[in-house]
Amino acid sequence: MKIVKTKAELQRTLQELKLKIGFVPTMGALHDGHLSLVGESKKRELYTVASIFVNPTQFNDPKDYEKYPIDTDADLDELSSVECDLVFLPSRDEIYSDQNDPKYLHDFDHLERAYEGAYRPGHFRGVGQVVHLLFEAVRPDVAFFGEKDFQQLQVIRALVKKMEADIEIVGLPTVREDDGLAMSSRNRRLNPAQREQSVMLYRSLKLAKERHGKESVPAIKAHVEQLFEQAPELRLEYFDIIDPERFESLDSVDACAHPHAVIAAYAGEVRLIDNMALA
Ligand code: PAF
């Protein structure tokens, strides 16, 4: 597995190879969810590039950025174990030499202000900015993202349209722990009681999936709030049933062919998110 730290070396290497490129952008702290993205790229016989870059511009809370777990050696071992071909490990200066160029600061309109965007102002601007810069550096044919960050996936699809880039965006199913908790780099910050109760996010989504069509949206929301009363370590931030294209709340699931449930909750200082298609 090749490790490259500059855009110049990256482009030289990739141009010489003349192969179709599959790209998995990450912020490190890798888990099986990330490895499944690399696995899918390899399965499609793409020359697979992963990047590890903890992007400062997408953290609306500087404390979150400071606490972000970094263990590059462990990440490289994980990537090597799934036969990733190349890892791009840029420094902050390498990525942000053009930081103030407005070309990279996209307005995703309602999509960047709803749900996650409302609770994390500026987050999706930062994601769009860094992914645009990474796409320009790597020039992938296909890029892989986890559906766990469902709103981010929609932002990336919008980004590719804005860039008019010929990049296929593939979203892959959330990888879960045995009890259903969505894998996330943040899970390692949960204490045992928080970890045990954090399964409530998945249970809420399952409840919504089982009951949609049989119960009204307000009744489902009330059940979810009741579930969270049994989890004193957690604080529900939002649960909603939405139209996944428009990211708008649905009063009734009949109003949309593919309703989607989204949820966010705090366990102590750790913010957890999850989502599920209901039909
Ligand atoms: O999902 C992530 O890990 C990040 O938001 C991404 C896409 C790598 C951009 O920094």
Side-chain angles (χ1 to χ4, degrees):
M1 186 173 74
K2 199 171 164 67
I3 296 168
V4 167
K5 295 194 171 175
T6 67
K7 288 185 262 186
E9 194 191 347
L10 176 70
Q11 279 160 15
R12 227 181 7 257
T13 310
L14 296 179
Q15 271 159 21
E16 276 166 18
L17 286 165
K18 292 192 176 63
L19 295 170
K20 286 227 178 237
I21 296 167
F23 180 38
V24 180
T26 82
M27 297 206 302
L30 302 181
H31 49 72
D32 286 355
H34 297 108
L35 303 184
S36 76
L37 306 180
V38 173
E40 180 64 24
S41 176
K42 294 290 295 182
K43 206 166 99 191
R44 294 178 183 218
E45 297 184 355
L46 299 163
Y47 183 84
T48 301
V49 176
S51 61
I52 302 177
F53 177 66
V54 184
N55 173 38
T57 70
Q58 70 188 74
F59 287 85
N60 54 310
D61 179 354
K63 274 190 278 164
D64 233 13
Y65 176 59
E66 280 152 30
K67 284 192 192 143
Y68 200 84
I70 296 179
D71 187 345
T72 308
D73 289 342
D75 288 340
L76 291 174
D77 284 348
E78 296 278 17
L79 289 170
S80 163
S81 76
V82 287
E83 294 173 4
C84 182
D85 296 296
L86 185 148
V87 184
F88 181 39
L89 260 184
S91 67
R92 193 169 165 157
D93 286 347
E94 184 65 19
I95 288 293
Y96 282 119
S97 52
D98 291 329
Q99 183 169 24
N100 294 321
D101 190 333
K103 166 179 161 193
Y104 301 107
L105 292 171
H106 300 281
D107 184 348
F108 297 102
D109 203 13
H110 175 68
L111 195 50
E112 74 172 48
R113 284 183 269 280
Y115 298 95
E116 283 307 284
Y119 291 94
R120 304 179 68 191
H123 170 66
F124 289 121
R125 279 285 161 110
V127 170
Q129 181 186 29
V130 78
V131 174
H132 188 157
L133 285 156
L134 288 167
F135 279 172
E136 247 181 29
V138 178
R139 298 178 198 162
D141 296 282
V142 189
F144 299 87
F145 293 85
E147 285 175 353
K148 186 199 146 248
D149 294 303
F150 183 65
Q151 196 170 351
Q152 166 172 284
L153 178 60
Q154 304 294 58
V155 164
I156 304 293
R157 293 192 201 282
L159 171 71
V160 167
K161 281 197 191 126
K162 282 178 189 288
M163 289 173 67
E164 296 181 12
D166 191 11
I167 302 171
E168 183 192 350
I169 302 299
V170 176
L172 290 178
T174 302
V175 178
R176 297 182 180 279
E177 303 287 355
D178 288 345
D179 63 358
L181 175 66
M183 286 199 184
S184 163
S185 313
R186 289 163 186 243
N187 295 355
R188 53 180 90 176
R189 287 169 54 201
L190 298 171
N191 69 30
Q194 292 166 343
R195 170 64 192 84
E196 202 186 312
Q197 292 180 20
S198 55
V199 68
M200 229 32 120
L201 281 86
Y202 178 64
R203 284 205 194 136
S204 303
L205 297 171
K206 290 267 287 181
L207 178 145
K209 196 172 167 91
E210 279 157 23
R211 300 196 178 189
H212 97 276
K214 297 182 198 134
E215 281 183 18
S216 69
V217 172
I220 294 173
K221 285 184 185 170
H223 279 302
V224 168
E225 277 163 24
Q226 279 164 14
L227 269 186
F228 270 78
E229 280 166 18
Q230 299 160 28
E233 296 289 332
L234 304 188
R235 181 166 59 80
L236 180 63
E237 193 162 53
Y238 65 76
F239 166 84
D240 207 356
I241 297 183
I242 63 161
D243 173 335
E245 298 303 319
R246 294 147 38 125
F247 256 83
E248 279 170 6
S249 186
L250 292 169
D251 294 332
S252 148
V253 287
D254 303 335
C256 174
H258 303 287
H260 209 96
V262 288
I263 190 165
Y266 271 98
E269 288 188 345
V270 185
R271 195 161 177 283
L272 302 169
I273 59 170
D274 205 347
N275 69 89
M276 191 177 279
L278 301 186

Short mmCIF file of all heavy atoms in Angstrom, two decimals, residues 82-130:
data_model
loop_
_atom_site.label_atom_id
_atom_site.label_comp_id
_atom_site.label_asym_id
_atom_site.label_seq_id
_atom_site.Cartn_x
_atom_site.Cartn_y
_atom_site.Cartn_z
N VAL A 82 -7.37 -4.50 4.24
CA VAL A 82 -8.42 -4.68 3.22
C VAL A 82 -7.89 -4.34 1.82
O VAL A 82 -8.65 -4.12 0.88
CB VAL A 82 -9.69 -3.86 3.54
CG1 VAL A 82 -10.46 -4.49 4.69
CG2 VAL A 82 -9.39 -2.40 3.84
N GLU A 83 -6.54 -4.30 1.72
CA GLU A 83 -5.86 -4.14 0.43
C GLU A 83 -6.18 -2.84 -0.28
O GLU A 83 -6.31 -2.80 -1.52
CB GLU A 83 -6.11 -5.36 -0.47
CG GLU A 83 -5.46 -6.59 0.14
CD GLU A 83 -5.80 -7.87 -0.58
OE1 GLU A 83 -6.49 -7.81 -1.60
OE2 GLU A 83 -5.35 -8.92 -0.11
N CYS A 84 -6.31 -1.79 0.50
CA CYS A 84 -6.42 -0.45 -0.09
C CYS A 84 -5.12 -0.22 -0.88
O CYS A 84 -4.04 -0.62 -0.45
CB CYS A 84 -6.56 0.56 1.06
SG CYS A 84 -6.77 2.24 0.50
N ASP A 85 -5.22 0.43 -2.03
CA ASP A 85 -4.02 0.56 -2.87
C ASP A 85 -3.16 1.74 -2.48
O ASP A 85 -1.93 1.67 -2.53
CB ASP A 85 -4.44 0.69 -4.35
CG ASP A 85 -5.12 -0.57 -4.83
OD1 ASP A 85 -4.45 -1.61 -4.85
OD2 ASP A 85 -6.32 -0.53 -5.15
N LEU A 86 -3.82 2.85 -2.14
CA LEU A 86 -3.06 4.07 -1.86
C LEU A 86 -3.77 4.87 -0.77
O LEU A 86 -5.00 4.96 -0.76
CB LEU A 86 -2.94 4.91 -3.13
CG LEU A 86 -2.09 6.17 -3.09
CD1 LEU A 86 -1.44 6.43 -4.46
CD2 LEU A 86 -2.87 7.41 -2.66
N VAL A 87 -2.99 5.46 0.13
CA VAL A 87 -3.57 6.33 1.16
C VAL A 87 -3.01 7.73 0.98
O VAL A 87 -1.78 7.93 0.90
CB VAL A 87 -3.26 5.83 2.59
CG1 VAL A 87 -3.96 6.71 3.62
CG2 VAL A 87 -3.71 4.39 2.76
N PHE A 88 -3.93 8.69 0.87
CA PHE A 88 -3.54 10.10 0.76
C PHE A 88 -3.62 10.69 2.17
O PHE A 88 -4.69 10.69 2.79
CB PHE A 88 -4.50 10.80 -0.20
CG PHE A 88 -4.21 12.26 -0.44
CD1 PHE A 88 -2.90 12.73 -0.57
CD2 PHE A 88 -5.26 13.18 -0.55
CE1 PHE A 88 -2.65 14.07 -0.80
CE2 PHE A 88 -5.01 14.52 -0.79
CZ PHE A 88 -3.69 14.97 -0.91
N LEU A 89 -2.48 11.17 2.66
CA LEU A 89 -2.38 11.66 4.05
C LEU A 89 -1.90 13.11 4.03
O LEU A 89 -0.76 13.39 4.41
CB LEU A 89 -1.29 10.83 4.76
CG LEU A 89 -1.64 9.67 5.67
CD1 LEU A 89 -0.37 9.12 6.31
CD2 LEU A 89 -2.61 10.11 6.74
N PRO A 90 -2.72 14.03 3.59
CA PRO A 90 -2.24 15.40 3.44
C PRO A 90 -2.18 16.16 4.78
O PRO A 90 -2.90 15.82 5.72
CB PRO A 90 -3.32 16.04 2.55
CG PRO A 90 -4.56 15.29 2.89
CD PRO A 90 -4.16 13.89 3.24
N SER A 91 -1.36 17.19 4.82
CA SER A 91 -1.34 18.08 5.99
C SER A 91 -2.43 19.13 5.79
O SER A 91 -3.00 19.26 4.68
CB SER A 91 0.01 18.79 6.09
OG SER A 91 0.13 19.67 4.98
N ARG A 92 -2.67 19.92 6.82
CA ARG A 92 -3.67 20.99 6.72
C ARG A 92 -3.27 22.01 5.64
O ARG A 92 -4.10 22.45 4.85
CB ARG A 92 -3.74 21.65 8.10
CG ARG A 92 -4.89 22.54 8.30
CD ARG A 92 -4.95 22.89 9.78
NE ARG A 92 -5.84 24.03 9.95
CZ ARG A 92 -6.47 24.33 11.07
NH1 ARG A 92 -6.30 23.60 12.14
NH2 ARG A 92 -7.25 25.39 11.14
N ASP A 93 -1.97 22.35 5.60
CA ASP A 93 -1.52 23.34 4.60
C ASP A 93 -1.64 22.79 3.18
O ASP A 93 -1.92 23.53 2.24
CB ASP A 93 -0.06 23.74 4.85
CG ASP A 93 0.05 24.64 6.07
OD1 ASP A 93 -1.01 25.12 6.53
OD2 ASP A 93 1.18 24.82 6.57
N GLU A 94 -1.41 21.50 3.05
CA GLU A 94 -1.49 20.89 1.72
C GLU A 94 -2.92 21.00 1.17
O GLU A 94 -3.14 21.31 0.01
CB GLU A 94 -1.07 19.41 1.81
CG GLU A 94 -1.00 18.68 0.49
CD GLU A 94 0.08 19.20 -0.45
OE1 GLU A 94 1.02 19.89 -0.02
OE2 GLU A 94 -0.04 18.91 -1.66
N ILE A 95 -3.90 20.76 2.04
CA ILE A 95 -5.30 20.84 1.59
C ILE A 95 -5.74 22.28 1.44
O ILE A 95 -6.40 22.66 0.47
CB ILE A 95 -6.23 20.09 2.59
CG1 ILE A 95 -6.03 18.59 2.48
CG2 ILE A 95 -7.70 20.44 2.37
CD1 ILE A 95 -6.49 17.98 1.18
N TYR A 96 -5.38 23.12 2.41
CA TYR A 96 -5.97 24.45 2.45
C TYR A 96 -5.07 25.56 1.92
O TYR A 96 -5.18 26.70 2.36
CB TYR A 96 -6.49 24.76 3.86
CG TYR A 96 -7.82 24.07 4.09
CD1 TYR A 96 -7.98 23.13 5.09
CD2 TYR A 96 -8.91 24.33 3.27
CE1 TYR A 96 -9.20 22.47 5.27
CE2 TYR A 96 -10.12 23.67 3.42
CZ TYR A 96 -10.26 22.76 4.43
OH TYR A 96 -11.46 22.11 4.59
N SER A 97 -4.26 25.26 0.92
CA SER A 97 -3.49 26.34 0.31
C SER A 97 -4.45 27.33 -0.39
O SER A 97 -4.16 28.51 -0.50
CB SER A 97 -2.47 25.77 -0.68
OG SER A 97 -3.13 24.90 -1.55
N ASP A 98 -5.63 26.83 -0.82
CA ASP A 98 -6.60 27.69 -1.51
C ASP A 98 -7.80 27.97 -0.62
O ASP A 98 -8.92 28.15 -1.10
CB ASP A 98 -7.16 26.95 -2.76
CG ASP A 98 -6.12 26.80 -3.82
OD1 ASP A 98 -5.26 27.67 -3.90
OD2 ASP A 98 -6.20 25.80 -4.56
N GLN A 99 -7.58 28.00 0.69
CA GLN A 99 -8.69 28.00 1.64
C GLN A 99 -9.72 29.09 1.37
O GLN A 99 -10.91 28.87 1.50
CB GLN A 99 -8.14 28.20 3.05
CG GLN A 99 -9.23 28.15 4.10
CD GLN A 99 -8.64 28.10 5.49
OE1 GLN A 99 -7.51 28.52 5.71
NE2 GLN A 99 -9.40 27.56 6.42
N ASN A 100 -9.25 30.27 0.99
CA ASN A 100 -10.20 31.37 0.87
C ASN A 100 -10.82 31.48 -0.52
O ASN A 100 -11.57 32.41 -0.78
CB ASN A 100 -9.52 32.69 1.25
CG ASN A 100 -9.16 32.66 2.72
OD1 ASN A 100 -9.93 32.16 3.52
ND2 ASN A 100 -7.97 33.15 3.05
N ASP A 101 -10.51 30.55 -1.36
CA ASP A 101 -11.08 30.58 -2.70
C ASP A 101 -12.59 30.28 -2.60
O ASP A 101 -12.98 29.17 -2.20
CB ASP A 101 -10.37 29.52 -3.56
CG ASP A 101 -10.76 29.68 -5.02
OD1 ASP A 101 -11.87 30.18 -5.28
OD2 ASP A 101 -9.96 29.29 -5.88
N PRO A 102 -13.45 31.25 -2.96
CA PRO A 102 -14.90 31.03 -2.81
C PRO A 102 -15.43 29.90 -3.68
O PRO A 102 -16.52 29.37 -3.45
CB PRO A 102 -15.50 32.38 -3.23
CG PRO A 102 -14.44 33.10 -3.96
CD PRO A 102 -13.12 32.56 -3.53
N LYS A 103 -14.62 29.50 -4.67
CA LYS A 103 -15.02 28.39 -5.55
C LYS A 103 -15.38 27.13 -4.75
O LYS A 103 -16.17 26.31 -5.19
CB LYS A 103 -13.81 28.13 -6.47
CG LYS A 103 -13.81 26.87 -7.23
CD LYS A 103 -12.57 26.78 -8.10
CE LYS A 103 -12.31 25.35 -8.51
NZ LYS A 103 -10.99 25.13 -9.08
N TYR A 104 -14.74 26.99 -3.58
CA TYR A 104 -14.96 25.76 -2.80
C TYR A 104 -16.05 25.90 -1.75
O TYR A 104 -16.36 24.94 -1.05
CB TYR A 104 -13.65 25.33 -2.12
CG TYR A 104 -12.55 25.08 -3.12
CD1 TYR A 104 -11.49 25.97 -3.27
CD2 TYR A 104 -12.59 23.96 -3.94
CE1 TYR A 104 -10.50 25.76 -4.22
CE2 TYR A 104 -11.61 23.74 -4.89
CZ TYR A 104 -10.57 24.65 -5.02
OH TYR A 104 -9.61 24.42 -5.97
N LEU A 105 -16.60 27.11 -1.62
CA LEU A 105 -17.61 27.34 -0.57
C LEU A 105 -19.00 27.33 -1.20
O LEU A 105 -19.49 28.35 -1.69
CB LEU A 105 -17.33 28.65 0.16
CG LEU A 105 -16.05 28.61 1.00
CD1 LEU A 105 -15.68 29.98 1.51
CD2 LEU A 105 -16.19 27.62 2.15
N HIS A 106 -19.62 26.18 -1.20
CA HIS A 106 -20.92 26.02 -1.88
C HIS A 106 -22.07 26.27 -0.91
O HIS A 106 -21.99 25.94 0.27
CB HIS A 106 -21.05 24.60 -2.44
CG HIS A 106 -19.98 24.27 -3.42
ND1 HIS A 106 -20.01 24.71 -4.72
CD2 HIS A 106 -18.83 23.58 -3.29
CE1 HIS A 106 -18.93 24.28 -5.35
NE2 HIS A 106 -18.19 23.60 -4.50
N ASP A 107 -23.16 26.78 -1.48
CA ASP A 107 -24.38 26.96 -0.70
C ASP A 107 -25.31 25.79 -1.04
O ASP A 107 -25.76 25.66 -2.19
CB ASP A 107 -25.02 28.31 -1.09
CG ASP A 107 -26.25 28.60 -0.25
OD1 ASP A 107 -26.74 27.68 0.43
OD2 ASP A 107 -26.73 29.74 -0.29
N PHE A 108 -25.58 24.96 -0.05
CA PHE A 108 -26.46 23.81 -0.31
C PHE A 108 -27.90 24.11 0.11
O PHE A 108 -28.71 23.19 0.25
CB PHE A 108 -25.92 22.57 0.41
CG PHE A 108 -24.58 22.15 -0.09
CD1 PHE A 108 -23.44 22.44 0.64
CD2 PHE A 108 -24.44 21.50 -1.30
CE1 PHE A 108 -22.19 22.07 0.18
CE2 PHE A 108 -23.18 21.13 -1.77
CZ PHE A 108 -22.06 21.42 -1.03
N ASP A 109 -28.16 25.40 0.35
CA ASP A 109 -29.52 25.87 0.58
C ASP A 109 -30.17 25.13 1.76
O ASP A 109 -29.51 24.89 2.77
CB ASP A 109 -30.29 25.69 -0.74
CG ASP A 109 -31.49 26.60 -0.83
OD1 ASP A 109 -31.58 27.53 -0.01
OD2 ASP A 109 -32.35 26.36 -1.69
N HIS A 110 -31.43 24.69 1.58
CA HIS A 110 -32.16 24.05 2.68
C HIS A 110 -31.40 22.82 3.21
O HIS A 110 -31.40 22.55 4.43
CB HIS A 110 -33.54 23.65 2.16
CG HIS A 110 -34.34 22.89 3.15
ND1 HIS A 110 -34.83 23.46 4.32
CD2 HIS A 110 -34.70 21.58 3.20
CE1 HIS A 110 -35.47 22.54 5.01
NE2 HIS A 110 -35.41 21.40 4.36
N LEU A 111 -30.76 22.10 2.30
CA LEU A 111 -30.07 20.87 2.69
C LEU A 111 -28.99 21.13 3.73
O LEU A 111 -28.70 20.28 4.57
CB LEU A 111 -29.46 20.24 1.42
CG LEU A 111 -28.98 18.80 1.46
CD1 LEU A 111 -30.03 17.86 2.05
CD2 LEU A 111 -28.62 18.35 0.05
N GLU A 112 -28.34 22.28 3.68
CA GLU A 112 -27.27 22.53 4.66
C GLU A 112 -27.82 23.20 5.94
O GLU A 112 -27.08 23.40 6.89
CB GLU A 112 -26.16 23.40 4.06
CG GLU A 112 -26.51 24.86 3.89
CD GLU A 112 -25.29 25.69 3.48
OE1 GLU A 112 -24.58 25.29 2.55
OE2 GLU A 112 -25.10 26.76 4.09
N ARG A 113 -29.11 23.55 5.93
CA ARG A 113 -29.65 24.24 7.10
C ARG A 113 -30.63 23.36 7.90
O ARG A 113 -30.93 23.65 9.05
CB ARG A 113 -30.34 25.54 6.68
CG ARG A 113 -29.31 26.62 6.35
CD ARG A 113 -29.96 27.93 6.01
NE ARG A 113 -30.22 28.06 4.60
CZ ARG A 113 -29.31 28.41 3.69
NH1 ARG A 113 -28.08 28.65 4.06
NH2 ARG A 113 -29.62 28.51 2.41
N ALA A 114 -31.13 22.30 7.29
CA ALA A 114 -32.12 21.45 7.97
C ALA A 114 -31.41 20.44 8.89
O ALA A 114 -30.22 20.17 8.72
CB ALA A 114 -32.93 20.69 6.92
N TYR A 115 -32.12 19.90 9.83
CA TYR A 115 -31.66 18.80 10.69
C TYR A 115 -30.21 18.97 11.15
O TYR A 115 -29.91 19.90 11.88
CB TYR A 115 -31.95 17.45 10.02
CG TYR A 115 -33.44 17.31 9.83
CD1 TYR A 115 -34.05 17.66 8.63
CD2 TYR A 115 -34.25 16.95 10.89
CE1 TYR A 115 -35.44 17.62 8.49
CE2 TYR A 115 -35.63 16.91 10.76
CZ TYR A 115 -36.21 17.24 9.56
OH TYR A 115 -37.57 17.22 9.45
N GLU A 116 -29.29 18.13 10.65
CA GLU A 116 -27.89 18.25 11.11
C GLU A 116 -27.36 19.66 10.92
O GLU A 116 -26.61 20.18 11.73
CB GLU A 116 -27.00 17.26 10.34
CG GLU A 116 -27.12 15.84 10.81
CD GLU A 116 -26.91 15.74 12.30
OE1 GLU A 116 -25.76 15.83 12.74
OE2 GLU A 116 -27.90 15.59 13.03
N GLY A 117 -27.74 20.30 9.83
CA GLY A 117 -27.26 21.65 9.52
C GLY A 117 -27.76 22.66 10.54
O GLY A 117 -27.06 23.61 10.90
N ALA A 118 -28.98 22.45 11.05
CA ALA A 118 -29.54 23.39 12.04
C ALA A 118 -28.79 23.28 13.36
O ALA A 118 -28.59 24.26 14.05
CB ALA A 118 -31.02 23.09 12.24
N TYR A 119 -28.39 22.05 13.71
CA TYR A 119 -27.70 21.85 14.99
C TYR A 119 -26.19 22.04 14.87
O TYR A 119 -25.51 22.21 15.88
CB TYR A 119 -28.01 20.44 15.54
CG TYR A 119 -29.45 20.33 15.96
CD1 TYR A 119 -30.42 19.83 15.09
CD2 TYR A 119 -29.85 20.77 17.22
CE1 TYR A 119 -31.75 19.76 15.47
CE2 TYR A 119 -31.17 20.71 17.61
CZ TYR A 119 -32.12 20.20 16.73
OH TYR A 119 -33.43 20.14 17.11
N ARG A 120 -25.68 21.98 13.66
CA ARG A 120 -24.23 22.14 13.46
C ARG A 120 -23.99 23.17 12.35
O ARG A 120 -23.57 22.82 11.23
CB ARG A 120 -23.61 20.78 13.07
CG ARG A 120 -23.89 19.68 14.07
CD ARG A 120 -23.30 18.37 13.65
NE ARG A 120 -21.85 18.42 13.68
CZ ARG A 120 -21.05 17.49 13.16
NH1 ARG A 120 -21.56 16.44 12.57
NH2 ARG A 120 -19.75 17.61 13.22
N PRO A 121 -24.25 24.45 12.67
CA PRO A 121 -24.16 25.48 11.61
C PRO A 121 -22.77 25.49 10.95
O PRO A 121 -21.75 25.43 11.64
CB PRO A 121 -24.41 26.80 12.36
CG PRO A 121 -24.93 26.43 13.70
CD PRO A 121 -24.57 25.01 13.98
N GLY A 122 -22.77 25.55 9.66
CA GLY A 122 -21.50 25.61 8.91
C GLY A 122 -20.91 24.24 8.61
O GLY A 122 -19.98 24.12 7.79
N HIS A 123 -21.45 23.20 9.24
CA HIS A 123 -20.86 21.86 9.08
C HIS A 123 -20.81 21.42 7.60
O HIS A 123 -19.77 21.01 7.09
CB HIS A 123 -21.66 20.85 9.92
CG HIS A 123 -21.32 19.43 9.66
ND1 HIS A 123 -20.08 18.90 9.96
CD2 HIS A 123 -22.04 18.41 9.10
CE1 HIS A 123 -20.07 17.61 9.62
NE2 HIS A 123 -21.24 17.30 9.09
N PHE A 124 -21.96 21.54 6.92
CA PHE A 124 -21.99 21.02 5.54
C PHE A 124 -21.21 21.91 4.56
O PHE A 124 -20.74 21.44 3.53
CB PHE A 124 -23.43 20.79 5.08
CG PHE A 124 -24.07 19.63 5.78
CD1 PHE A 124 -25.22 19.78 6.54
CD2 PHE A 124 -23.49 18.36 5.71
CE1 PHE A 124 -25.79 18.70 7.20
CE2 PHE A 124 -24.05 17.28 6.37
CZ PHE A 124 -25.20 17.45 7.12
N ARG A 125 -21.08 23.22 4.89
CA ARG A 125 -20.19 24.07 4.07
C ARG A 125 -18.77 23.49 4.11
O ARG A 125 -18.08 23.40 3.12
CB ARG A 125 -20.11 25.48 4.66
CG ARG A 125 -21.22 26.40 4.33
CD ARG A 125 -21.13 26.92 2.92
NE ARG A 125 -22.44 27.41 2.57
CZ ARG A 125 -22.73 28.69 2.41
NH1 ARG A 125 -21.81 29.60 2.49
NH2 ARG A 125 -23.95 29.06 2.12
N GLY A 126 -18.36 23.14 5.35
CA GLY A 126 -17.01 22.59 5.55
C GLY A 126 -16.83 21.25 4.86
O GLY A 126 -15.80 20.99 4.25
N VAL A 127 -17.87 20.42 4.93
CA VAL A 127 -17.79 19.11 4.26
C VAL A 127 -17.69 19.31 2.75
O VAL A 127 -16.84 18.72 2.07
CB VAL A 127 -19.02 18.22 4.62
CG1 VAL A 127 -19.06 16.98 3.74
CG2 VAL A 127 -19.00 17.83 6.08
N GLY A 128 -18.56 20.19 2.22
CA GLY A 128 -18.54 20.45 0.77
C GLY A 128 -17.19 20.99 0.34
O GLY A 128 -16.64 20.58 -0.70
N GLN A 129 -16.64 21.89 1.13
CA GLN A 129 -15.35 22.50 0.81
C GLN A 129 -14.24 21.44 0.72
O GLN A 129 -13.52 21.34 -0.27
CB GLN A 129 -15.02 23.53 1.90
CG GLN A 129 -13.73 24.28 1.70
CD GLN A 129 -13.43 25.17 2.93
OE1 GLN A 129 -13.81 24.86 4.04
NE2 GLN A 129 -12.74 26.25 2.68
N VAL A 130 -14.15 20.62 1.77
CA VAL A 130 -13.04 19.66 1.79
C VAL A 130 -13.23 18.56 0.74
O VAL A 130 -12.27 18.12 0.09
CB VAL A 130 -12.79 19.09 3.21
CG1 VAL A 130 -13.79 18.01 3.59
CG2 VAL A 130 -11.37 18.55 3.30
#
